[in-house]
Amino acid sequence: MRAWFACDGAALLVRDPADTVGRLASAQQARGHAGAPEQEAAWRAQVAALREGLRAAGGDAWTVALEYELLRLEKRIDAVVLTDRAILVLEFKQTDASPAALAEAEDYALDLRDFHAGSRAHPILPVLVTGGVRGFAPPAQPPLIWQGVSRPVTCGPDGLAALFGWVQSAAPAAPLDGRVWLDAPYRPVPGIVEAATMLFARHGVAEIAAARADATNLRETAAAIARAVDQARRDHAKRVVFVTGIPGAGKTLCGLNAVFGAARQDGAAFLTGNAPLVAVLREALARDAIAQRGASKAQALREVKTAIQNVHRFLEDGAKPGAGAPPERVIVFDEAQRAWDEAKARRGTQNRPGTLTMSEPAHTLDIMGRHPGWAVVVALIGNGQEINTGEAGLREWGRVIDADPRWGAVAAGRGLAAPEPMQRLAEGQPPWLEIAPSLDLTVPMRAVRDSAVAGWVEAVLAEDAARARSIAARAEDFPVLVTRDLDAARAALRGFARGRRRAGLLRSSGAKRLRGEGLAAEVPAEDVADWFLNAWPDVRASDALEAAATEYACQGLELDVCGLAWGGDLVRGAAGWTARRFAGTRWQAERAEAHYVLNTYRVLLTRARYETVVWVPRGSARDAPFHDVTRDAAEMDAVADFLLGCGARALPAAATPAPRTVAPTLL
């Protein structure tokens, strides 16, 4: 049971309050948390307020759960009260009645709605109980429909009886068995930043993978990586472990688990050429270390910099004359299909002559091959996410393994069956390759609202409108919406991002003419960590909805709610999708590298954990006095019509959710 203590209302009323507080203190100690007199005093006040409220409201048959643990947030709900009509999520604060405190209570309620199986069919009311107010005043506009999570309310400790009475008089009957609720599965799906902090704090992916019934694939992949590392260690062998998968299926999660798990004792590092991912994860882990352990910022950054590294700097250091084996026996190479080929490696270090003289896969195996005995490279492969020229693909990895008899590899069959030759390890199965089907992640984990979004995106980009419509039709409220109005998109994003959930704008780096539509700002490289981790009123934060992140800033990361600004670099024509690049004053067809543009939109359309709002600008009408041919309205109309024809929902202006005024910090 996730609650530290639970009982029915009658038991709480007859039990000595000191005994209840003692049980909470014992549960705290059993979980390795240090006790404090202030915490016990807070529990005594909470128990007293609950007892008084239950007695006055006649809540003997209700269920009370105290300190209910939320794995995804690494926090606990102070109290959950289950009446016969609703689930009340109570967050107690001594004096804080701020919007941030209200958002915290709302976030807890949303977590139960999305991840607690016993909560989905019942009304959930977030309540901030604070000494900053007296009594309880019902909201001027009570919920018209008690379904899902209501807007949070505030009451004082002396107002619980009035609150309970209002809920019982206003909410419809919804039979709720407290014992069944307590036993119902709670399966949270953490975001990548949340997961990284949990893993760094030595939680395991098995605990995180308990998030969903369909996460068996994730657990099996993590176990397959661990087996490969153990076998290499036991056999004094060198192995490359290829982990393939669709966008959002948990490749990064498996890689971080390998680095922060059992391999940590051998020396392990997560390497990525994604500079924004490095910046965000380092800053998030450092902030968490400061908050949880009281570490200094300098100490925290030293710790995380060894675990999260830029792959290009790792390779450059290892390629220096006289460099020996690195301290890491296990490295995770993120987005390994994007490793540079020899030509790009030489160009990328042309200001440092002689630094990289081979492809990045060749340098990787050369550097890790210096270890006497065993070494492991875990190569994470994001299929269909190549977004730039000079990316070597799996073919180069296969070539360098084949040329070096010290190395063997293990991969799923996908590594040999990709339609593009450059994304196949080899033609046929070479003797150095072992096939392990569990190393292919096929179940999308990022999308909380609807896991079918990834398949829908594939169908849309493949121009299979019938298949896309079929996928969207199976969802009750398909979480991809289309609007032609940027202000409506912003309002919708703020409304969807309830509680502590984050919204942000995305755009393609090639969408140069969004400037003419009023969206010119891109997230500066130096602000990317603040964009992902800070919150309004910090104007650098994503939920300020001012600057938009490109595919380079957001690949490997995610937001709860995304607003995608569609650009003129991918439009609809008679022949279907047309990829373009802007040069000088006009668009030019992008024929040789059209797949990079499609992959860019694949990345952008799969960043959201919940809703994606696609803003397709209206463009410039051809009969306008000053028609701008670079923003042709007919081209944008065709894009919007196609997305709607594929099953995306139109965002009704009248149904646009109200904006949120304050967003609390993530960490």
Side-chain angles (χ1 to χ4, degrees):
M1 188 170 65
R2 306 205 66 85
W4 287 13
F5 176 72
C7 64
D8 60 30
L12 189 69
L13 290 172
V14 300
R15 185 183 299 276
D16 185 346
D19 178 71
T20 301
V21 172
R23 288 173 181 265
L24 292 172
S26 296
Q28 181 183 48
Q29 185 177 15
R31 288 164 173 79
H33 303 305
E38 296 81 6
Q39 178 62 75
E40 293 198 19
W43 281 331
R44 286 194 295 271
Q46 292 170 22
V47 170
L50 285 167
R51 282 163 53 89
E52 182 61 30
L54 290 170
R55 182 182 292 111
D60 292 23
W62 301 348
T63 297
V64 179
L66 302 177
E67 300 294 334
Y68 191 88
E69 292 182 325
L70 300 177
L71 173 67
R72 181 182 70 87
L73 302 174
E74 291 196 280
K75 293 192 175 182
R76 303 183 303 275
I77 303 174
D78 289 334
V80 179
V81 176
L82 309 169
T83 80
D84 58 349
R85 291 174 181 264
I87 300 168
L88 280 66
V89 175
L90 308 183
E91 175 64 15
F92 287 83
K93 300 287 186 184
Q94 287 189 342
T95 58
D96 188 2
S98 66
L102 274 170
E104 183 178 7
E106 185 175 26
D107 204 46
Y108 294 165
L110 292 167
D111 193 272
L112 289 184
R113 180 198 67 184
D114 291 332
F115 306 125
H116 187 279
S119 301
R120 293 171 189 152
H122 301 282
I124 308 173
L125 178 67
V127 182
L128 176 63
V129 186
T130 172
V133 301
R134 297 292 302 275
F136 170 69
Q141 294 181 331
L144 296 177
I145 300 176
W146 285 78
Q147 183 177 347
V149 177
S150 300
R151 292 292 173 180
V153 299
T154 304
C155 77
D158 59 343
L160 285 179
L163 169 74
F164 294 155
W166 173 72
V167 169
Q168 292 303 98
S169 65
L176 179 58
D177 187 318
R179 279 290 148 195
V180 172
W181 187 92
L182 290 170
D183 292 337
Y186 169 71
R187 294 172 173 151
V189 182
I192 186 61
V193 172
E194 294 164 336
T197 55
M198 293 168 66
L199 291 169
F200 193 62
R202 298 182 185 274
H203 290 279
V205 76
E207 185 175 4
I208 296 174
R212 287 162 43 162
D214 58 1
T216 303
N217 191 196
L218 185 63
R219 290 190 292 272
E220 290 177 349
T221 301
I225 296 170
R227 284 195 302 271
V229 173
D230 288 342
Q231 184 175 349
R233 184 189 295 112
R234 184 175 61 250
D235 297 344
H236 303 285
K238 294 178 173 63
R239 292 286 182 272
V240 182
V241 182
F242 292 96
V243 180
T244 52
I246 63 174
K251 296 180 295 296
T252 305
L253 187 61
C254 284
L256 291 170
N257 182 70
V259 170
F260 297 148
R264 183 185 288 191
Q265 64 187 4
D266 301 307
F270 185 91
L271 310 180
T272 176
N274 185 340
L277 181 63
V278 171
V280 172
L281 290 184
R282 280 181 173 176
E283 181 67 17
L285 296 180
R287 291 185 189 186
D288 189 65
I290 294 167
Q292 301 299 328
R293 306 200 313 268
S296 69
K297 183 68 175 285
Q299 176 190 352
L301 285 174
R302 279 196 302 271
E303 291 179 11
V304 301
K305 282 181 177 178
T306 60
I308 310 291
Q309 301 182 32
N310 184 294
V311 68
H312 307 309
R313 304 296 85 77
F314 175 89
L315 295 176
E316 287 177 23
D317 287 342
K320 290 176 181 176
E328 298 86 4
R329 286 269 183 182
V330 177
I331 62 169
V332 175
F333 198 125
D334 185 38
E335 297 291 348
Q337 83 284 355
R338 299 187 61 198
W340 294 351
D341 59 23
E342 180 179 331
K344 183 166 183 176
R346 289 179 180 273
R347 287 196 307 271
T349 57
Q350 60 185 354
N351 295 328
R352 301 178 294 281
T355 303
L356 296 184
T357 59
M358 303 182 288
S359 69
E360 287 191 332
H363 274 295
T364 299
L365 298 198
D366 174 64
I367 292 167
M368 294 301 290
R370 297 170 194 162
H371 278 292
W374 71 281
V376 173
V377 176
V378 179
L380 308 182
I381 309 299
N383 301 97
Q385 297 190 55
E386 304 79 26
I387 58 177
N388 216 335
T389 57
E391 296 174 355
L394 264 70
R395 180 171 57 192
E396 176 64 7
W397 285 95
R399 185 192 69 78
V400 296
I401 294 171
D402 188 66
D404 191 335
R406 297 173 300 171
W407 286 91
V410 56
R414 187 196 287 258
L416 297 173
E420 295 183 34
M422 72 176 296
Q423 295 307 332
R424 293 198 290 266
L425 280 168
E427 301 302 326
Q429 184 175 343
W432 45 261
L433 179 64
E434 174 189 349
I435 298 298
S438 56
L439 288 173
D440 187 32
L441 288 159
T442 58
V443 179
M445 296 294 294
R446 176 179 294 129
V448 176
R449 279 285 313 277
D450 196 320
S451 61
V453 170
W456 181 84
V457 170
E458 292 298 323
V460 168
L461 296 180
E463 305 189 79
D464 191 342
R467 180 161 63 95
R469 279 195 304 273
S470 175
I471 292 171
R474 291 196 289 269
E476 183 176 350
D477 291 305
F478 192 62
V480 180
L481 300 96
V482 174
T483 181
R484 310 302 302 277
D485 187 312
L486 180 56
D487 288 337
R490 285 187 170 119
L493 293 172
R494 292 188 174 108
F496 285 135
R498 298 176 60 185
R500 291 187 168 190
R501 293 179 178 172
R502 301 188 64 84
L505 294 171
L506 306 177
R507 55 170 290 171
S508 163
S509 61
K512 303 297 185 183
R513 292 303 298 137
L514 286 175
R515 177 186 300 274
E517 302 289 349
L519 186 66
E522 294 183 14
V523 180
E526 64 272 17
D527 287 346
V528 74
D530 294 315
W531 192 84
F532 275 103
L533 301 177
N534 293 1
W536 177 261
D538 188 330
V539 295
R540 299 168 299 176
S542 68
D543 49 21
L545 300 181
E546 292 184 2
T550 69
E551 67 275 20
Y552 298 110
C554 71
Q555 189 171 31
L557 291 160
E558 62 202 3
L559 291 166
D560 294 309
V561 184
C562 292
L564 170 56
W566 202 280
D569 54 336
L570 187 64
V571 294
R572 298 287 301 169
W577 289 120
T578 299
R580 308 186 299 188
R581 61 185 175 87
F582 195 74
T585 61
R586 61 190 180 91
W587 291 105
Q588 296 180 351
E590 189 69 275
R591 295 185 178 87
E593 299 179 355
H595 64 289
Y596 289 126
V597 180
L598 287 169
N599 286 345
T600 291
Y601 279 85
R602 178 178 288 107
V603 168
L604 296 173
L605 283 164
T606 55
R607 292 307 96 188
R609 286 165 53 78
Y610 296 90
E611 290 84 5
T612 296
V613 178
V614 182
W615 167 53
V616 183
R618 292 191 176 95
S620 174
R622 293 177 182 176
D623 58 357
F626 299 98
H627 173 53
D628 181 353
V629 296
T630 68
R631 299 186 295 108
D632 187 66
E635 293 174 342
M636 293 292 101
D637 291 344
V639 170
D641 291 344
F642 184 72
L643 294 176
L644 292 169
C646 286
R649 295 187 292 138
L651 179 70
T656 299
R660 182 180 57 175
T661 57
V662 173
T665 56
L666 174 67
L667 295 174

